[in-house]
Amino acid sequence: MTSRHHLPQELRWRAIGRLEAGQSQAEVARWLNMSPSEVHRLWKQFLTTDSASRRFSQGRPTAATSVNDRYLSLCARRNSTATPSQLRSSLAAATGRLVSTSTVRRRLQEADL
């Protein structure tokens, strides 16, 4: 077997297709001439993200998603006197996601509120 290498996009999707068709991860690994653990990582990535692309992330993941941003702007429009800390606590109560008050301020500023 070869050492860990990056598969071209086309081969990644063909491997996913073989796994979806019912081939075992070991069979796909032999077909690709790579270790089964790499095929396992590829399959796990596909199951969690529905994508087989190699995506490089820059820095830390964002604390608030676009859905959370919309929720913050909606709450701010409904209650124009709410402070960022109050909006932060309402977001935490609704979604369970904790964000900082500075993030709330930044998101409201981006929404022109």
Side-chain angles (χ1 to χ4, degrees):
M1 283 185 218
T2 62
S3 64
R4 185 172 180 196
H5 62 281
H6 300 296
L7 288 176
Q9 191 72 13
E10 179 184 338
L11 276 181
R12 293 174 73 85
W13 282 110
R14 288 176 66 190
I16 294 295
R18 285 179 176 235
L19 289 168
E20 285 182 324
Q23 271 190 326
S24 71
Q25 292 179 7
E27 291 171 338
V28 174
R30 279 192 297 275
W31 175 71
L32 292 171
N33 192 26
M34 59 191 318
S35 71
S37 64
E38 293 178 75
V39 175
H40 175 74
R41 274 194 300 269
L42 173 67
W43 182 240
K44 190 169 67 170
Q45 177 195 4
F46 175 74
L47 291 178
T48 57
T49 63
D50 287 333
S51 175
S53 66
R54 291 185 65 239
R55 195 181 74 213
F56 298 101
S57 63
Q58 292 288 334
R60 187 176 174 162
T62 60
T65 62
S66 59
V67 174
N68 295 340
D69 295 345
R70 284 194 301 271
Y71 179 80
L72 284 173
S73 64
L74 181 68
C75 287
R77 285 187 186 118
R78 285 184 180 164
N79 187 1
S80 59
T81 60
T83 63
S85 59
Q86 290 171 336
L87 293 172
R88 173 185 178 261
S89 62
S90 68
L91 177 68
T95 63
R97 180 157 301 218
L98 297 174
V99 295
S100 67
T101 53
S102 59
T103 300
V104 172
R105 284 190 196 100
R106 202 169 34 251
R107 297 296 195 255
L108 294 176
Q109 185 178 10
E110 289 170 0
D112 293 331
L113 295 173

